[in-house]
Amino acid sequence: MSRELFKFKGGVHPPGHKSESNSRPIHAAPLPKKLVIPLRQHIGNPAKPVVEVGERVKKGQLIGEADGYISCAVHASSSGTVTAIDMQTMPHASGLPDLCITIETDGRDEWIAHAPLDYRAMVPAELRMRLRDMGIAGLGGAVFPSAVKLDPGAAQACPTLIINGGECEPWITCDDVLMRHRADEILQGVTVMRHLLGSTEILVGIEDNKPEAVAAMQAAAAKMDFAVEVVAVPARYPGGGAKQMIETLTGKQVPSGKLSTDIGIQVFNVGTTYALARAVHHGEPLISRLVTVTGHVLRPQNFEVLIGTPMHTLITLAGDRDGTTGVLMGGPMMGVPMPDLEVPVVKATNCILVKSNELFPPLPRALPCIRCTRCADACPAELQPQELFRFAKAGDFGRAQEYHLFDCIECGCCSYVCPSHIPLVDYYRYAKGEIWAREKEKRAADLARERHEFRLFRLEREKKEKAEKLAAKAQAKRAELAADPSASGAPDADAKKALIAAALARAQAKKAEVAPKNVDHLTPEQQHSIEEIEARRAKIRELAHQPLESEEKP
Amino acid sequence: MPSPFILDRSSVTQVMAWVLAALLPGVLVYVWLFGPGILVTLSLATVTALAAEAAMLKARGYPAKPFLTDLSAIVTAWLLALSLPSLAPWWLIVTGTLFAIVVAKHLYGGLGQNIFNPAMVGYAVLIVSFPVQMTQWAGPLELTTAHLTLAQSASVIFGGDLPKTTLDAVTMATPLDALRTGLLQQHTVDEIMTQPIFGHYGGTGFEWLAAAFLLGGLVLWALRIISWHVPLAFLAGIWLTAGFLHFFDAGRFGAPWFHLFAPSVMLGAFFIATDPVSGATTPRGKLIFGLGAGFLTIAIRTWGGFPDGVAFAILLMNLCVPLIDQYTQPRIYGGASRTKEPPA
């Protein structure tokens, strides 16, 4: 197999730390006493609860239904009783609470009746709705509802389907072990995806630091009745990013502001593909996933974890140690610090990384930027991070946008290589948050102004109408007096009505022609991050307004 | 603290340390071929730079330790010292270093904020203010009648007397000075080049010094401390401009190889024009920056009032950096290049 590979620009080579956790077999984490299942685990509208407190639920039972097209259902991960539907702390950096359904498990782990789907007999749209209702969302990190991505849309077909087994973030190995041990089922999921997307070329991209996974997937691919090309790609962070994987395998770049399907390519993470196989071939909704528990623990490994399991139970299971300095969800490059360890494992939880001072020494103090452009060399979005930093720090958000701030994928490569140790990504998050907030404020102001203008217009109109009525009355009176039944003010009133209608139309047109902004046409991912960013804005703003630590006066 | 939570092992200190290390071959060749006087100059400039840096940090309310240990002041000191005549008087060295650190660096905002390369500002101030003292170059040992020891060199630099010998016995006009003077006296380049100060490509001894700087520069490139863009463009700018002039009138304009194999050119190409703080940041911008500096160097050498033009060429290009950067923004992933019109 000698597929020509392409090089994406930038990227870094952080130490992989994969071997710590990828050699142990997959263990099923024991059933916890309590499951906390958030209704918003995916991008898009949160699910709507369909159970009540006190209700008994079975494993796999729908407890939150999808709300709209870009949404996803959530299910009870085990059998038990619903004890609360309330706000709970979420596994977010923000530590903001969100609506969750708490289930006290009964230990019986009793399944609801479920059966495989005869997907070939189903209408594609119906199959997609079923997948949405089975809670299938992207498990690679973005948690975008898969049903939406499985819709080829107007193009009718998406020629190239890429299964992403890149897993470029250090420490994380859940995709690695999934491919090693469950390659056949991953490819069964591919069968369904290919069916829905009409893809003719199937590529599986795996970073070459996972030779066992490559071998397992190649062996499984050989058994399929359609061609699946398993390709080992050079390990370089963020090579497992969808855009980077696309470029490595096809040489194509996704145009800025567009989707990969616009160039005929769709990408799914291997975990998502596996979840889809379980849904279609076994009728099981997405209620569990593989989670790497690694870092400063005694036995780093991967667990099969029920969604809603509190994180601390997994750390205990892997063997917690003294000297823990914090816990991340995700890897060290893009992971988010957890506000506390009661937070549940969600669909997005690929890794629980326990930090210690030895493994993750505190970052050194930042020095001023010396414009060395190592960040620009490392940026896979091919931006000029040193300029973005300058503009963000100066509060010059307009210039930052001109220099494509919103094309930043926050992969962290720039911060990683910065010899001045500047937390660059933080400045970009801050700048994005500020821009979103300002546009939101401007929007609110525009709306208020429009309302005010319409009120003035309405008052004016009412005054006019009153006057007209009076005039009409007077005229009618006069007509009556003149005893002439043919006279009428009607034509005049019609003209006035037309005038009013025209004015209304003008007001509406004005409302519609407000210039497009960054908060228009947001992808649901962005919408999601806006909310997160909003929460952190105040904190980050402090940082940006403070001088760099080293600039502080002694 | 948000992501990322890991860093590679690079630091400003590490970058600056490599720059200093890459200068060492040049320093060794300097001592070998021109005598140990340069060591006195380097030491005096280093001490002055560190003292000035510490004083300015204190005056500006910055912590001394992280900024003194970043080694950037020492890099400035060495680059200036290697640009000065090796037997220049002590006060010249001190004045130049103070100007570089206090005015060119700290009055512009310190590390990372200076528009101009500090060492070149120091050099420019000295050559404009003290042109006579800026000619006290130790000649190559193989051409001079007397050789100075380290103590004797220090004595000369600190204004002491030289027993048994005179300064004239150890100093010589540099090849660029010799060329300039010869041309002013209506000699042809070929006639001038018969003087012993001229070697194979550049000046006797000087060409080896240039080669040592080139070697150090290649090390920096191999280590990815600098990119190839600026040095290559700078050398190409020199070669093309000098070559163009030489092609039309070989009698009046020095050969391109002669211009290229000057120590100031190699030092400028690999160590000074590559200063990230005062240089262009985009790949195309770096090429423009280097080509422009190369062209200006030859233009100043040929038509300007000073024998060498590297310092002024780089300072002039420093001025153009914001403009160059703005108009050479590269295409981003999956996109067209930045909107062309300048911002309001």
Side-chain angles (χ1 to χ4, degrees):
Chain A
M1 224 166 316
S2 59
R3 187 183 181 82
E4 190 199 350
L5 294 181
F6 301 84
K7 256 190 101 172
F8 67 90
K9 206 183 147 289
V12 294
H13 291 101
H17 290 289
K18 304 281 192 183
S19 58
E20 281 88 340
S21 59
N22 67 4
S23 49
R24 289 191 169 86
I26 301 168
H27 278 294
L31 184 63
K33 286 204 171 62
K34 190 180 82 173
L35 293 163
V36 178
I37 300 170
L39 287 155
R40 185 209 301 270
Q41 296 186 47
H42 47 266
I43 302 289
N45 294 334
K48 285 190 294 192
V50 293
V51 289
E52 278 167 18
V53 176
E55 195 173 326
R56 269 201 48 78
V57 291
K58 285 184 175 170
K59 181 173 184 153
Q61 181 177 333
L62 183 79
I63 55 174
E65 65 178 11
D67 179 19
Y69 182 60
I70 302 182
S71 182
C72 221
V74 296
H75 301 79
S77 313
S78 186
S79 58
T81 312
V82 176
T83 55
I85 302 176
D86 59 359
M87 303 296 270
Q88 304 254 6
T89 309
M90 294 287 289
H92 272 175
S94 65
L96 284 185
D98 207 346
L99 197 59
C100 296
I101 296 178
T102 307
I103 297 169
E104 211 165 283
T105 57
D106 57 15
R108 280 182 287 184
D109 210 23
E110 191 183 344
W111 266 102
I112 197 164
H114 58 290
L117 307 180
D118 184 7
Y119 71 93
R120 289 187 195 277
M122 291 169 80
V123 180
E126 186 196 343
L127 176 55
R128 282 194 294 269
M129 286 308 100
R130 286 284 293 168
L131 292 173
R132 183 193 68 167
D133 296 339
M134 294 178 94
I136 308 298
L139 300 185
V143 231
F144 194 82
S146 302
V148 181
K149 283 177 71 180
L150 285 166
D151 187 350
Q156 304 286 320
C158 182
T160 303
L161 170 62
I162 294 177
I163 304 303
N164 189 348
E167 203 172 49
C168 56
E169 267 258 13
W171 292 98
I172 309 177
T173 59
C174 60
D175 289 348
D176 183 6
V177 299
L178 184 76
M179 289 186 285
R180 288 187 195 201
H181 301 295
R182 298 177 185 175
D184 290 322
E185 282 193 277
I186 293 172
L187 287 170
Q188 281 168 22
V190 174
T191 313
V192 182
M193 290 176 169
R194 177 173 165 267
H195 169 74
L196 277 172
L197 289 170
S199 307
T200 47
E201 183 184 37
I202 319 285
L203 302 170
V204 181
I206 304 170
E207 282 199 344
D208 57 12
N209 57 1
K210 294 179 265 294
E212 297 88 350
V214 174
M217 289 297 285
Q218 275 171 345
K223 289 182 266 178
M224 303 304 289
D225 56 1
F226 53 90
V228 178
E229 196 176 337
V230 180
V231 188
V233 302
R236 178 160 50 108
Y237 179 86
K243 286 179 174 178
Q244 282 67 41
M245 187 58 86
I246 289 172
E247 188 168 9
T248 303
L249 292 177
T250 69
K252 292 180 188 165
Q253 292 196 340
V254 181
S256 175
K258 297 209 167 175
L259 299 172
S260 66
T261 41
D262 293 332
I263 53 170
I265 301 170
Q266 187 58 289
V267 185
F268 284 97
N269 163 267
V270 287
T272 316
T273 315
Y274 173 79
L276 188 126
R278 296 301 299 179
V280 172
H281 298 293
H282 301 269
E284 295 174 9
L286 178 48
I287 53 167
S288 71
R289 65 158 298 152
L290 290 197
V291 179
T292 308
V293 183
T294 186
H296 188 63
V297 290
L298 291 172
R299 297 171 298 277
Q301 60 187 301
N302 283 276
F303 293 107
E304 171 104 49
V305 185
L306 296 176
I307 303 296
T309 304
M311 286 190 182
H312 66 82
T313 63
L314 298 176
I315 296 171
T316 309
L317 217 55
D320 53 341
R321 296 169 66 180
D322 290 336
T324 296
T325 53
V327 172
L328 304 179
M329 183 171 98
M333 295 299 287
M334 293 185 78
V336 286
M338 290 295 96
D340 66 56
L341 298 182
E342 285 296 324
V343 294
V345 164
V346 292
K347 291 174 185 175
T349 311
N350 48 6
C351 180
I352 296 172
L353 180 54
V354 183
K355 294 198 301 170
S356 69
N357 273 333
E358 294 78 60
L359 296 175
F360 299 93
L363 303 185
R365 67 159 69 222
L367 284 176
C369 169
I370 55 167
R371 295 169 30 99
C372 65
T373 61
R374 286 186 184 198
C375 48
D377 293 339
C379 180
E382 303 177 34
L383 305 175
Q384 297 289 306
Q386 78 282 357
E387 303 286 10
L388 292 176
F389 164 68
R390 190 158 62 93
F391 296 138
K393 191 164 197 300
D396 192 349
F397 302 124
R399 290 296 291 279
Q401 277 200 81
E402 263 183 69
Y403 279 67
H404 308 289
L405 174 67
F406 286 94
D407 284 85
C408 167
I409 56 173
E410 301 181 18
C411 64
C413 288
C414 52
S415 307
Y416 179 75
V417 297
C418 180
S420 289
H421 312 131
I422 302 170
L424 292 162
V425 182
D426 235 34
Y427 282 92
Y428 310 146
R429 292 193 189 108
Y430 155 71
K432 287 179 187 177
E434 284 301 302
I435 292 167
W436 277 320
R438 283 179 191 191
E439 290 187 354
K440 221 169 165 183
E441 277 161 25
K442 179 155 188 315
R443 237 181 195 214
D446 283 349
L447 196 67
R449 184 174 42 74
E450 278 159 24
R451 281 196 182 133
H452 177 67
E453 277 168 8
F454 185 75
R455 181 170 174 272
L456 291 181
F457 166 78
R458 181 171 52 79
L459 290 176
E460 189 64 23
R461 186 190 61 191
E462 280 168 1
K463 215 160 109 188
K464 252 188 198 164
E465 278 173 355
K466 218 173 191 176
E468 276 162 25
K469 257 187 207 156
L470 281 172
K473 234 182 193 171
Q475 203 170 17
K477 200 88 177 170
R478 256 181 274 136
E480 209 176 89
L481 284 173
D484 185 357
S486 66
S488 164
D492 198 27
D494 276 354
K496 287 249 166 75
K497 253 184 207 157
L499 265 177
I500 291 161
L504 262 170
R506 273 201 303 278
Q508 250 156 13
K510 205 169 173 188
K511 196 170 165 186
E513 84 193 5
V514 176
K517 310 186 185 79
N518 283 307
V519 281
D520 288 332
H521 314 298
L522 281 179
T523 67
E525 282 105 323
Q526 287 167 330
Q527 193 70 52
H528 195 61
S529 28
I530 292 175
E531 282 154 25
E532 268 182 58
I533 285 163
E534 283 274 311
R536 295 204 309 265
R537 259 182 70 218
K539 239 188 281 173
I540 299 173
R541 191 187 299 145
E542 264 169 46
L543 170 91
H545 282 200
Q546 269 166 13
L548 290 173
E549 242 182 278
S550 50
E551 290 173 13
E552 275 164 28
K553 309 225 166 190
Chain B
M1 205 55 199
S3 64
F5 297 89
I6 49 175
L7 299 175
D8 72 3
R9 275 180 284 279
S10 72
S11 67
V12 177
T13 305
Q14 186 203 47
V15 171
M16 298 294 172
W18 272 116
V19 173
L20 293 176
L23 283 170
L24 287 179
V27 173
L28 288 177
V29 170
Y30 208 133
V31 171
W32 183 258
L33 296 175
F34 294 85
I38 186 65
L39 297 178
V40 180
T41 312
L42 281 171
S43 309
L44 182 57
T46 302
V47 171
T48 311
L50 286 175
E53 179 96 349
M56 285 311 288
L57 288 170
K58 187 161 172 55
R60 294 176 57 220
Y62 281 71
K65 193 172 162 253
F67 285 96
L68 282 178
T69 53
D70 71 18
L71 304 182
S72 62
I74 301 180
V75 168
T76 297
W78 284 29
L79 292 177
L80 177 61
L82 290 169
S83 308
L84 294 180
S86 51
L87 293 174
W90 67 270
W91 54 266
L92 196 75
I93 301 166
V94 170
T95 307
T97 312
L98 282 178
F99 207 88
I101 298 290
V102 175
V103 179
K105 185 176 183 184
H106 280 285
L107 293 192
Y108 276 88
L111 180 69
Q113 300 296 318
N114 46 291
I115 302 167
F116 299 105
N117 181 288
M120 290 302 97
V121 172
Y123 176 89
V125 164
L126 294 182
I127 197 140
V128 169
S129 313
F130 310 104
V132 176
Q133 287 80 359
M134 288 291 278
T135 59
Q136 276 171 251
W137 290 90
L141 298 180
E142 60 176 283
L143 298 180
T144 54
T145 50
H147 300 169
L148 298 182
T149 62
L150 184 64
Q152 286 170 328
S153 304
S155 171
V156 170
I157 288 167
F158 286 100
D161 287 331
L162 275 180
K164 289 186 208 152
T165 184
T166 60
L167 202 56
D168 284 346
V170 289
T171 60
M172 285 183 82
T174 64
L176 282 171
D177 275 327
L179 178 65
R180 186 179 176 75
T181 315
L183 287 172
L184 285 173
Q185 291 164 353
Q186 306 299 319
H187 297 297
T188 69
V189 169
D190 283 342
E191 287 164 10
I192 299 164
M193 292 281 175
T194 57
Q195 295 172 31
I197 190 72
F198 294 97
H200 305 286
Y201 295 111
T204 301
F206 290 93
E207 58 195 6
W208 287 106
L209 187 53
F213 287 138
L214 169 64
L215 176 71
L218 290 175
V219 169
L220 288 188
W221 168 73
L223 290 167
R224 304 288 174 91
I225 304 266
I226 58 172
S227 75
W228 56 269
H229 302 78
V230 172
L232 197 72
F234 183 69
L235 297 180
I238 299 251
W239 197 84
L240 289 173
T241 313
F244 181 79
L245 294 173
H246 188 69
F247 178 79
F248 279 103
D249 192 348
R252 279 176 53 221
F253 302 106
W257 294 114
F258 168 76
H259 281 291
L260 218 49
F261 270 83
S264 62
V265 166
M266 290 301 172
L267 194 65
F270 289 95
F271 293 90
I272 300 169
T274 51
D275 169 22
V277 174
S278 56
T281 54
T282 64
R284 273 190 300 150
K286 284 174 180 170
L287 293 177
I288 294 170
F289 182 90
L291 278 171
F295 166 77
L296 285 172
T297 298
I298 296 301
I300 295 169
R301 280 183 180 180
T302 308
W303 299 294
F306 299 101
D308 200 353
V310 173
F312 288 107
I314 290 176
L315 290 173
L316 285 171
M317 290 313 290
N318 285 162
L319 266 181
C320 307
V321 160
L323 199 68
I324 294 174
D325 277 351
Q326 186 174 319
Y327 283 97
T328 56
Q329 283 300 309
R331 177 194 160 279
I332 67 160
Y333 174 100
S337 62
R338 199 176 70 83
T339 39
K340 284 288 186 293
E341 71 271 20

